[in-house]
Amino acid sequence: MNAYDEYMKEIVKPMRAELVSVGFKELTNAEMVSEHMTQATGTSLIMINSVCGCAAGLARPAVAQALTEVTNKPEHIVTVFAGQDQEATYQMRAFFEEVPPSSPSIAIVKDGKLAYFIPREQIEGFSMEHIKEHLVTVLNQVTAS
């Protein structure tokens, strides 16, 4: 591992921990992603994490808050880190190729099918409260059906 990779690994530790601390499981390689996506039943909330400011100030806090307010929590809460775990991110995006790559972003998958996707364009420029409410509404609809 070169100096840049080591530096970035240290920089993103708290960004990873922010999601792990609220129950997210990190999928750090393609095999972990494939295993989850082919075997998970029920609803999966998938956060494609990023080092950008809209991930730090908007997406991660909104997702964490939404999980405390949603009526029915998804059975699985997982994350991949764009730009850091490139194989895992690429593999995850392959499961919902119908949407353009976007990070940060939030996917809701139900029984192996993409049920909803919140791209960066619906995160950046919006308030954390708005993103949280959007996610709570969608999760309540998807997990209720």
Side-chain angles (χ1 to χ4, degrees):
M1 191 174 291
N2 65 36
Y4 174 78
D5 291 336
E6 281 296 321
Y7 173 77
M8 287 307 295
K9 186 176 176 184
E10 287 302 311
I11 292 293
V12 302
K13 273 186 184 177
M15 298 173 201
R16 292 177 182 275
E18 191 173 352
L19 291 177
V20 171
S21 72
V22 296
F24 278 81
K25 177 183 178 184
E26 283 191 293
L27 305 178
T28 57
N29 61 53
E31 294 77 26
M32 291 174 79
V33 170
S34 291
E35 182 178 328
H36 174 79
M37 295 300 286
T38 58
Q39 296 179 12
T41 58
T43 305
S44 292
L45 172 63
I46 302 161
M47 169 79 186
I48 299 178
N49 203 354
S50 173
V51 298
C52 71
C54 62
L58 300 170
R60 288 192 301 267
V63 169
Q65 290 243 336
L67 288 171
T68 68
E69 296 182 21
V70 69
T71 305
N72 299 310
K73 289 191 173 142
E75 288 86 353
H76 310 280
I77 305 168
V78 298
T79 182
V80 295
F81 208 118
Q84 302 304 305
D85 301 324
Q86 293 177 4
E87 278 184 22
T89 304
Y90 181 78
Q91 184 68 22
M92 183 61 77
R93 287 177 173 154
F95 282 96
F96 33 87
E97 291 180 322
E98 62 271 26
V99 296
S102 178
S103 58
S105 57
I106 304 159
I108 302 168
V109 173
K110 185 163 185 173
D111 296 326
K113 293 185 173 73
L114 182 64
Y116 201 83
F117 190 81
I118 301 173
R120 178 186 180 111
E121 293 78 28
Q122 292 179 18
I123 296 170
E124 188 175 35
F126 291 88
S127 71
M128 191 281 294
E129 184 71 21
H130 173 84
I131 299 159
K132 178 201 65 161
E133 290 299 325
H134 182 183
L135 185 56
V136 167
T137 299
V138 171
L139 281 170
N140 282 336
Q141 290 172 354
V142 172
T143 57
S145 60

